[in-house]
Every structure is written in C-alpha cells, then in structure tokens.
C-alpha cells in the first residue's frame, strides 16, 4: 500500500498547525497504516501527534508509521504519543514543551526512536517506553530540561493498556 503523507510541501517548517482546543490532539491517527508525518510545526493541543489503534480491543493496530522532522511545541500532555502500533520510526523531531512526556511509546513493537531533541518537559519523563513494548532501538536522542527522568523504560501501565499476551513493560 502507498503511504498517506502529512507533510509540508514547501519544506521543513513552512506549515504550522495550531491546536483549535488544548483538550484535543493536534494530529490524531487511529487504526490507519502506512502513515508519514514529516516536516510540520505543531503547536499546543493535548498531544501534538497521537497515533493509536482503532477501537479499544487490539484488533486494529497501526502498522508502518514514520514521524520525522517535525517541531512540536507546548503540548499539554505528550508531544508525540504512539500506542498499539508496529513498525514505527520517530526520528529527527524537536519536542519543546510537554506536560507529561516528550515522546510516549505504549504497546509498540519494532520501533526506532533516534535523533530527536526533547526539552522543557514538566512530567515524568522526556521519553517513556512501556505497556508491553518490544524490539525498540532508542539511540542518539538529546533529552534535556526535563522535570522527571530523561529516559524511562518500564513503569506503571494499567492492566487494560498492555499489549495482549505480554507480562512486561518493555524489553529487547
């Protein structure tokens, strides 16, 4: 399948999307596959970019997502939140300001998180991997000015949020 592209046609930083409501995510992707979000400036919102399964029963996971080269500022919850997904790349983004986590990974398999700068996070961590996540490569991220942990692996996922069949927060 061909990917769906959400990108700045004129190049990095030429398109800014401002949240209409700080209680809603700026970009939400649910249960869709083959998505690329690239080179956007995203301001405000609950989550800057939120990617998650369709529904709540783990039958419509997200496959093949790339979130690259974006600037995400001032999310009240998470800058980038990816949950219930397979084959994910989160690369070369700037997350500047988040209330909880800069990048939050929940119940994700086969992911690379690299080259991101995460700063000014008021919550528990700059980058958080949990909820039965596995086969993660986390490398070359610059995490600074975070109230909690820079990188947090494992934690306190509620039972209903774990990837089915897993009994661990994160591994591999």
């Amino acid at each position: 399948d061909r990917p769906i592209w959400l990108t700045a046609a004129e190049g990095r930083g030429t398109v800014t999307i401002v949240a209409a409501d700080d209680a809603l995510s700026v970009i939400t992707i649910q249960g869709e596959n083959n998505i690329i979000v690239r080179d956007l400036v995203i301001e405000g919102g609950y989550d800057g970019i939120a990617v998650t399964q369709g529904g709540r029963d783990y039958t419509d996971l997200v496959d093949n997502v790339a979130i690259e080269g974006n600037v995400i500022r001032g999310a009240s919850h998470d800058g980038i939140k990816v949950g219930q997904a397979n084959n994910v790349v989160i690369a070369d983004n700037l997350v500047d300001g988040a209330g909880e986590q800069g990048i939050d990974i929940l119940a994700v398999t086969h992911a690379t998180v690299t080259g991101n700068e995460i700063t000014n996070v008021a919550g528990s961590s700059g980058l958080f991997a949990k909820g039965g996540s596995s086969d993660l490569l986390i490398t070359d991220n610059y995490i600074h000015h975070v109230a909690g942990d820079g990188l947090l692996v494992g934690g306190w996922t509620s039972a209903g949020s774990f990837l089915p069949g897993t009994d661990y927060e994160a591994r591999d």
Side-chain angles (χ1 to χ4, degrees), residues 54-116:
R56 296 183 176 265
D57 61 3
Y58 289 89
T59 60
D60 189 13
L61 301 182
V62 175
D63 287 307
N64 305 319
V65 174
I67 301 171
E68 302 172 331
N70 301 288
V71 175
I72 297 123
R73 292 190 193 111
S76 64
H77 188 246
D78 296 335
I80 299 171
K81 183 175 195 79
V82 178
Q84 305 85 31
N86 303 303
N87 305 314
V88 175
V89 174
I90 302 171
D92 304 319
N93 299 285
L94 168 62
V95 177
D96 185 356
E100 282 299 316
Q101 288 96 40
I103 298 175
D104 187 16
I105 300 168
L106 172 69
V108 171
T109 57
H110 314 298
T112 299
V113 183
T114 188
N116 300 286

Side-chain angles (χ1 to χ4, degrees), residues 9-84:
E10 300 298 320
R12 188 174 191 175
T14 60
V15 172
T16 300
I17 304 171
V18 179
D21 185 333
D22 281 342
L24 301 173
S25 297
V26 179
I27 295 175
T28 301
I29 299 164
Q30 293 181 309
E32 296 300 322
N33 301 322
N34 306 315
I35 305 286
I36 299 168
V37 181
R38 181 177 290 159
D39 296 336
L40 301 173
V41 176
I42 297 167
E43 296 183 354
Y46 184 70
D47 295 325
I49 300 171
V51 178
T52 187
Q53 67 179 323
R56 296 183 176 265
D57 61 3
Y58 289 89
T59 60
D60 189 13
L61 301 182
V62 175
D63 287 307
N64 305 319
V65 174
I67 301 171
E68 302 172 331
N70 301 288
V71 175
I72 297 123
R73 292 190 193 111
S76 64
H77 188 246
D78 296 335
I80 299 171
K81 183 175 195 79
V82 178
Q84 305 85 31

